[in-house]
Amino acid sequence: MGSDSSVASTGLPSKVFGALHLLVSLGIILAMDKLLKKAFVEAAIKFPSALFGMFCTFAVLTILDSVVPKAAEGLMNFFEPALLFIQRWLPLFYVPSLVVLPLAVKDVPAASGAKICFILVGGWLASLCVAGFTAISVRKMVKTEMIPAEPMAKPSPFTSLEMWTWSGIFLASFVGALYYPTALGTSARTCLPFLLSSTVLGYLVGSGLPSAVKKVFHPIICCAVSADLAAIAFGYLSKSGLDPVLGDYLTKAASNPGAGDILMGFLGSVIISFAFSMFKQRKLVKRHAAEIFTSVIISTLFSLYSTALIGRLIGLEPNLTISILPRCITVALALSIVSLFEGVNSSLTAAVVVLTGLVGANFVQAVLDKLGFNDPIARGIATASSAHGLGTAALSAKEPEALPFCAIAYALTGIFGSIICSVPAVRQSLLAIVG
């Protein structure tokens, strides 16, 4: 019976088997995130559910590794297709907040917008310096020799077939939405196919641009521009205007999701996937724990409290200051953090986080060189602690030796930020500073 099943499985075309493997492994992570989110809402637990899922996954892997190492290795191998999928499409999950930026900033006064930009750029640079100098100082004290990191698998590059396929989907769905606007029911469902395909198409085009162009025109900006142009074109041709179309892009309604809701639905899975990357680099984390944890804790506290203080000193409205507190924390957890406060603009939170990442992605290497941060540990930690995933992706593309420290610090910054903000006394102290 066992041999028959193995013959049947090996008889399947490898692409079909690979697709099934991806669907099952990714489906389990998505289902885990959804079930935990539902359970936490019903229990009125404020702590981020995806973070709890990450801790549970990491605990299971660690226990299995100490009891049955082969089982832990098998689990890692089983989920690898899902992890590569998340890594391949990660920037897309940040895009919705940039696409709807015109709606998010509509009620923000121009003077307040200028203050937010000042905090965003100045805060990024300050956080990078604090994290980098802390890492260097601790490195000098502990004098730990570096060990090679575990090799990290890379997702496959995009193909011309994918480009043409998504182009066809966009054209067909755009024309269909124009001429048959009620075919799918609600306006959000009508716009979903062409808005989603235009976003993906923008990412494919942006990813294929020359490196020199990417420094100015990051793929994530290309995504947002592509989706916004599609929204503008549809709003003009359908005479509905831009705002309703953008409103359908990110509805935040589970019963009537838009393209942006579909993409942001993966953010919880991104957090859970941190467990696998941290487990893979557990030896590195253990060996350089002093540098990593000290830098992450100090830079995260600095980021939160300095944002609150500067916001008050320059006269930024308290609700806007609270909205941008987690500027250096990855979107999924930043949104969880601001949900702990009242009266915040979560769309602004997501947009500021993404813009911080874009600033880091474009300037991090030049600034690190200027500051004389030559140690891979310091470069990796400083980048991830100040510009999370987008900064990490930009640095790791050219400095693979810094990638493990980027990935670890990227995850730990969000984890520590979420934990510390879950403490009522910390939230009260931040609110007191904001005023």
Side-chain angles (χ1 to χ4, degrees), residues 157-171:
F158 296 112
T159 63
S160 56
L161 177 61
E162 288 176 290
M163 179 79 75
W164 286 110
T165 301
W166 281 105
S167 298
I169 293 171
F170 168 69
L171 287 172

Side-chain angles (χ1 to χ4, degrees), residues 94 267 270-271 274 326 328-335 353 388-389 410 414:
Y94 293 117
L267 288 175
V270 173
I271 304 304
F274 285 168
C328 290
I329 293 170
T330 188
V331 171
L333 291 174
L335 292 174
V353 169
H388 46 81
Y410 165 44

Side-chain angles (χ1 to χ4, degrees), residues 39-104:
F40 272 52
V41 169
E42 289 176 354
I45 299 172
K46 289 283 189 179
F47 191 78
S49 58
L51 200 55
F52 177 77
M54 190 218 73
F55 284 131
C56 290
T57 305
F58 185 77
V60 168
L61 287 168
T62 304
I63 292 167
L64 282 177
D65 188 52
S66 60
V67 180
V68 192
K70 285 190 176 180
E73 186 182 343
L75 205 59
M76 288 289 291
N77 291 335
F78 174 77
F79 282 104
E80 187 166 325
L83 303 178
L84 287 174
F85 175 88
I86 291 171
Q87 186 183 339
R88 192 177 194 237
W89 297 102
L90 183 61
L92 270 182
F93 310 144
Y94 293 117
V95 170
S97 53
L98 279 187
V99 175
V100 299
L101 187 59
L103 296 182

